[in-house]
Amino acid sequence: MANNKQPVDYEALLSAIDAAYPMVQILDKDGNVVNEDIMPELTDDQLVELMEKMVWSRTLHERSMALARQGRLGFYAPTAGQEASQLASHYAFTKEDWLFPGYRDIPQLIQHGLPVSQAFLWSRGHVEGNNYPETLKAMPPQIIIGAQIIQAMGSAVGQKLNGDNAVSFTYTGDGGSSQGDFYEGLNYASRYKAPIVFYIQNNGYAISTPREKQTGATTLAQKAAAVGIPGIQVDGMDPLAVYAVSKQARDWALAGNGPVLIETVTSRFGPHSTSGDDPSIYRDQEGIDYWAQRDPLIRFRNFLTEKGLWSEEKETAFIEKTQEEIKEAAKEADKAPKQKISSFLKNMYEVPGQVTQEQIAKYEAKESK
C-alpha cells in the first residue's frame, strides 16, 4: 500500500512563521493601556519629555513643509505620523551610540545633536550641512536606499573590535528592506555579533509601491530569521511599545548578543517627499482615515492627559516655543555663504589636476565680478 504522507507540512511551516512575529503593543489607538506587563520604566518627567520630542517633531515637520513651499528648504521627506517610530526609538539610545539615518530621519539626527540650522542646510544641498563636529556620533542622511545599513554594520563591527560601551543603530523604510544592501548588512553583522539595532520603518509605501507588492513575507521582521538574529514587529504608532522594544534591543546588542531587527508598523501622513509626489494617486481615503485615527500624538496625548501630565495649554505653549526656535534656525541657515562652482571644484580633489585648476581659475574670475 502506498504511503501518501508528505515529508513536510508547508502550511504548518508558514503558520509557525506568522505566529512567531506578533505585534507588540502597549497603548491602543485611543491611548488605553492594553499590556501593563511590558510597560517601560519611565518616570513622569521622562514621559512628558518623550511627548515634547514628538510634538517638537510634528512642529518641525509643519514648518519644514511651509519652508519648502516658500522655496527656502529644498528636498524634504515628510515625517508626520512617524513621530513614535522615530523619536520613541531614538529615546532608547545615548549620545555615545552611532546613528546612521536615512533621508526621512532628520528628527532623530537633530535630537542626536545636529543643529536645526545645519539640517536645513543639508536639505538645501549646502556643503556645510554635512560638516559635522567630531563630537556628533552620526553620519549625514543617506540618500541611496538601504546603503546606510552597510555603513552602520561597519561601524558596529568597529565598535566591537574597539571594545566600545556603545552600539550603532540605523533606519530604513519598507522599500529599503527589499534592497540587497539590507540583507548583506544584516548577514555580516549577525556573523560577527555586531552591537547594532536595525529599524525598518514600515510606513506602507516605497514611494508609491505598496508594501504588499514588495514581498510575499507576512511581516518584514521575519527577514531577521534568515541571518539568525531576533526580529520584532511593533506598533509604530505606540511610543511606549516602540521605546520598550528599542530599550531591550539596545541592551541585548550591548551585552554582546549581536544585532536585533525591529519593524515599526507606522504611516506617513503626507507625500513621500516634496519633490512632486502626489499620494492621492495611490492612497484611498479609507486608508488615510484608518491611520489618522491611530495618530501617535493623539494616542500619547490621551494617555498623558488621563495621568494628569499633559494639557492643551502646555502643548500650545511648547509649540509656540518650538516654532520660534525653528524660525531662528531658518534665519541662521540663510546666513550661510552662497556656494560657488569654484568651491565645488576645489572640494572635489585634494590636489586638483591641470584641467581642474584651469576650471577653478575660470570660475573664480567670473565669480569675482
Side-chain angles (χ1 to χ4, degrees):
M1 183 176 179
N3 182 4
N4 294 323
K5 185 177 181 180
Q6 298 294 327
V8 177
D9 187 337
Y10 291 123
E11 292 293 340
L13 283 177
L14 291 174
S15 296
I17 292 173
D18 294 344
Y21 299 92
M23 177 86 74
V24 178
Q25 186 185 70
I26 294 176
L27 298 178
D28 66 16
K29 68 180 181 66
D30 298 315
N32 301 308
V33 176
V34 294
N35 200 340
E36 183 74 40
D37 292 343
I38 60 172
M39 179 74 74
E41 295 181 358
L42 292 171
T43 66
D44 288 350
D45 287 344
Q46 288 174 318
L47 290 171
V48 170
E49 183 181 29
L50 179 53
M51 180 62 178
E52 289 177 341
K53 289 179 183 295
M54 291 169 57
V55 172
W56 167 86
S57 183
R58 181 67 62 87
T59 307
L60 176 66
H61 160 79
E62 292 171 350
R63 295 307 306 153
S64 295
M65 291 294 288
L67 289 169
R69 286 191 293 268
Q70 296 167 13
R72 298 178 60 197
L73 197 55
F75 176 81
Y76 175 66
T79 59
Q82 295 188 210
E83 291 85 1
S85 176
Q86 295 179 320
L87 277 302
S89 59
H90 181 271
Y91 198 57
F93 295 86
T94 74
K95 294 294 180 68
E96 295 304 308
D97 297 323
W98 271 91
L99 167 63
F100 291 80
Y103 52 74
R104 200 178 304 278
D105 302 310
I106 304 301
Q108 302 99 296
L109 193 54
I110 294 172
Q111 289 295 320
H112 214 60
L114 185 72
V116 177
S117 59
Q118 204 164 349
F120 285 160
L121 288 174
W122 176 84
S123 291
R124 296 177 183 182
H126 199 291
V127 66
E128 286 303 315
N130 296 311
N131 189 15
Y132 287 13
E134 291 186 7
T135 54
L136 177 56
K137 291 180 167 40
M139 289 291 285
Q142 179 57 260
I143 292 294
I144 303 172
I145 306 299
Q148 65 270 33
I149 302 295
I150 297 290
Q151 294 175 320
M153 172 274 294
S155 169
V157 171
Q159 286 174 305
K160 180 178 181 179
L161 293 174
N162 290 335
D164 296 345
N165 187 35
V167 306
S168 293
F169 62 116
T170 184
Y171 299 82
T172 192
D174 44 294
S177 70
S178 298
Q179 295 281 33
D181 282 354
F182 173 82
Y183 174 79
E184 292 167 9
L186 263 65
N187 189 53
Y188 197 94
S190 173
R191 164 62 183 81
Y192 290 96
K193 288 190 176 293
I196 182 170
V197 180
F198 298 101
Y199 286 93
I200 304 172
Q201 295 191 89
N202 177 5
N203 64 23
Y205 293 90
I207 305 184
S208 60
T209 302
R211 171 249 179 279
E212 61 269 16
K213 291 188 176 181
Q214 298 176 49
T215 176
T218 305
T219 70
L220 301 181
Q222 69 196 62
K223 295 191 175 190
V227 298
I229 66 174
I232 302 99
Q233 186 184 70
V234 62
D235 183 343
M237 310 295 265
D238 176 355
L240 294 183
V242 172
Y243 172 81
V245 298
S246 297
K247 178 67 168 57
Q248 184 182 14
R250 183 186 184 274
D251 292 344
W252 171 272
L254 190 63
N257 297 305
V260 177
L261 173 66
I262 298 174
E263 174 192 1
T264 62
V265 181
T266 183
S267 176
R268 57 170 166 86
F269 291 164
H272 174 264
S273 75
T274 53
S275 301
D277 177 46
D278 181 2
S280 67
I281 295 174
Y282 55 88
R283 301 181 76 166
D284 58 40
Q285 193 60 46
E286 182 179 357
I288 292 172
D289 292 343
Y290 173 88
W291 286 109
Q293 294 167 10
R294 286 154 179 78
D295 187 321
L297 265 64
I298 295 174
R299 186 181 303 201
F300 207 38
R301 184 185 297 127
N302 290 345
F303 171 74
L304 293 181
T305 300
E306 182 68 24
K307 291 175 67 68
L309 299 175
W310 198 253
S311 66
E312 183 179 348
E313 293 76 19
K314 188 169 187 173
E315 184 166 333
T316 298
F318 183 80
I319 290 173
E320 291 175 352
K321 173 175 174 289
T322 300
Q323 287 175 334
E324 188 60 33
E325 292 173 351
I326 295 170
K327 180 180 178 180
E328 292 304 313
K331 290 181 179 179
E332 185 65 27
D334 290 341
K335 296 177 183 178
K338 300 295 183 182
Q339 298 188 96
K340 301 176 181 178
I341 295 177
S342 61
S343 299
F344 291 142
L345 293 169
K346 289 177 182 178
N347 291 337
M348 189 177 300
Y349 301 103
E350 184 175 358
V351 180
Q354 179 181 343
V355 173
T356 305
Q357 290 180 21
E358 293 173 355
Q359 291 175 329
I360 290 172
K362 170 186 173 183
Y363 283 107
E364 283 183 331
K366 288 183 177 181
E367 293 159 355
S368 63
K369 295 179 180 179

Coordinates of all heavy atoms in Angstrom, one line a residue, residues 2 23 91 145 187 191 253-254 311:
A2 N 0.6 2.2 -0.9 CA 1.4 3.4 -1.0 C 1.3 4.3 0.2 O 0.2 4.4 0.8 CB 1.0 4.2 -2.3
M23 N 2.4 41.4 16.9 CA 2.6 42.8 17.0 C 2.7 43.2 18.5 O 1.8 42.9 19.3 CB 1.4 43.5 16.4 CG 1.4 45.0 16.6 SD 2.4 45.9 15.3 CE 1.2 45.7 13.9
Y91 N 14.9 57.6 21.6 CA 14.9 57.9 23.1 C 15.6 56.8 23.9 O 16.0 57.0 25.0 CB 13.5 58.2 23.6 CG 13.4 58.9 24.9 CD1 14.0 60.1 25.1 CD2 12.7 58.3 26.0 CE1 13.9 60.8 26.3 CE2 12.6 59.0 27.2 CZ 13.2 60.2 27.4 OH 13.1 60.9 28.6
I145 N 19.0 54.3 -1.2 CA 18.1 53.5 -0.4 C 18.8 52.2 0.1 O 19.4 51.4 -0.6 CB 16.9 53.0 -1.3 CG1 16.2 54.2 -1.9 CG2 15.9 52.2 -0.4 CD1 15.7 55.2 -0.9
N187 N 23.4 40.2 7.4 CA 24.1 38.9 7.4 C 25.5 39.1 8.0 O 25.9 38.3 8.9 CB 24.2 38.4 6.0 CG 24.7 37.0 6.0 OD1 24.3 36.1 6.6 ND2 25.8 36.8 5.2
R191 N 26.9 37.6 11.6 CA 28.1 36.7 11.6 C 29.1 37.1 12.7 O 29.7 36.3 13.4 CB 28.8 36.7 10.2 CG 30.2 36.1 10.2 CD 30.3 34.7 10.6 NE 31.7 34.2 10.6 CZ 32.5 34.4 11.6 NH1 32.2 35.1 12.7 NH2 33.8 33.9 11.5
A253 N 22.0 44.0 22.4 CA 23.1 44.2 21.5 C 24.4 44.6 22.3 O 25.5 44.1 22.0 CB 22.8 45.2 20.4
L254 N 24.2 45.5 23.2 CA 25.3 46.0 24.0 C 25.9 44.8 24.9 O 27.2 44.9 25.1 CB 24.9 47.1 24.9 CG 26.0 47.9 25.7 CD1 26.9 48.6 24.7 CD2 25.4 48.9 26.6
S311 N -1.6 68.8 29.0 CA -2.8 69.6 28.8 C -2.7 70.4 27.5 O -1.6 70.5 26.9 CB -3.0 70.6 29.9 OG -1.9 71.6 29.9

